Amino acid sequence: VGEVTATISGIDDFMGFVTVSRGYKGVGYNLTSNLSATEASNFPVKRETSIDYEVGARTGWFDGRFILNATAFWMDYNNFQTSSLAPSPPNPVNTFILTNIPSVRTRGVEIASTAWITDALSANLNYAYTEATATDYPNGGCYGGQKLLSTAPATCSIGAGTQNLTGQTLPNAPKNKISAFVN
């Protein structure tokens, strides 16, 4: 973990930083009662670990009336804990369980700005570009009504109730996100 600060001519305030951090989430248990004995034997789910690399800058301009911050990040997870559809059968269709994705990566850039228009009025504009993918997920769950390998297009393995989701984007992880507001 490290941090570097500096002053650059023409910028009122500047702080640059580089960080490396590790994360940990302990083993998990699915406490739902509708799991089959086969599914229940898969618990607890494995512990989740992560390593995160960040580099960024925090800047202030015009006597602090305009703030511009930027961060680039790269985070790798092992045994990412997530909710997933349980294989069906033996479980009821669309039953969610706690499970692990063997390997996940998120990386991207975030930019945040604030402009103080008056002492009581500010405007914010923020942007984030994020890639969040399963880098190793050969046995991802299938969902109810999904096309099986015996039909076209082929996606889900018959009998196993799984599919290879390696390289796929994680759910609820938009690549581009913009927010703007006035206070």
Side-chain angles (χ1 to χ4, degrees):
V1 176
E3 191 170 285
V4 178
T5 59
T7 303
I8 296 177
S9 179
I11 301 176
D12 295 336
D13 296 301
F14 175 87
M15 194 258 315
F17 65 93
V18 174
T19 62
V20 177
S21 55
R22 292 176 113 5
Y24 169 86
K25 188 187 295 182
V27 298
Y29 294 88
N30 192 344
L31 301 178
T32 62
S33 60
N34 59 349
L35 292 178
S36 71
T38 303
E39 287 301 317
S41 69
N42 291 328
F43 292 101
V45 295
K46 296 174 185 171
R47 69 184 181 119
E48 174 185 305
T49 59
S50 62
I51 188 162
D52 177 38
Y53 306 93
E54 292 186 11
V55 60
R58 305 294 182 252
T59 66
W61 304 73
F62 310 111
D63 294 324
R65 300 202 63 81
F66 180 70
I67 296 169
L68 182 63
N69 299 328
T71 304
F73 61 92
W74 184 299
M75 187 172 217
D76 288 316
Y77 295 86
N78 288 314
N79 297 315
F80 182 78
Q81 293 178 4
T82 188
S83 246
S84 181
L85 286 170
S88 180
N91 295 295
V93 174
N94 293 334
T95 299
F96 284 89
I97 62 170
L98 185 61
T99 188
N100 293 105
I101 298 175
S103 180
V104 167
R105 173 173 292 144
T106 61
R107 59 187 175 186
V109 176
E110 296 174 345
I111 300 169
S113 64
T114 302
W116 289 95
I117 299 162
T118 70
D119 288 342
L121 180 66
S122 66
N124 298 73
L125 180 62
N126 307 310
Y127 172 75
Y129 174 80
T130 305
E131 292 178 356
T133 57
T135 53
D136 179 24
Y137 197 18
N139 296 309
C142 299
Y143 55 88
Q146 185 174 9
K147 295 190 180 288
L148 301 177
L149 284 176
S150 62
T151 62
T155 56
C156 191
S157 170
I158 295 175
T162 63
Q163 59 187 322
N164 187 349
L165 295 175
T166 299
Q168 298 298 309
T169 299
L170 297 179
N172 301 314
K175 281 197 184 247
N176 295 286
K177 183 176 179 181
I178 298 172
S179 64
F181 55 94
V182 175
N183 266 342

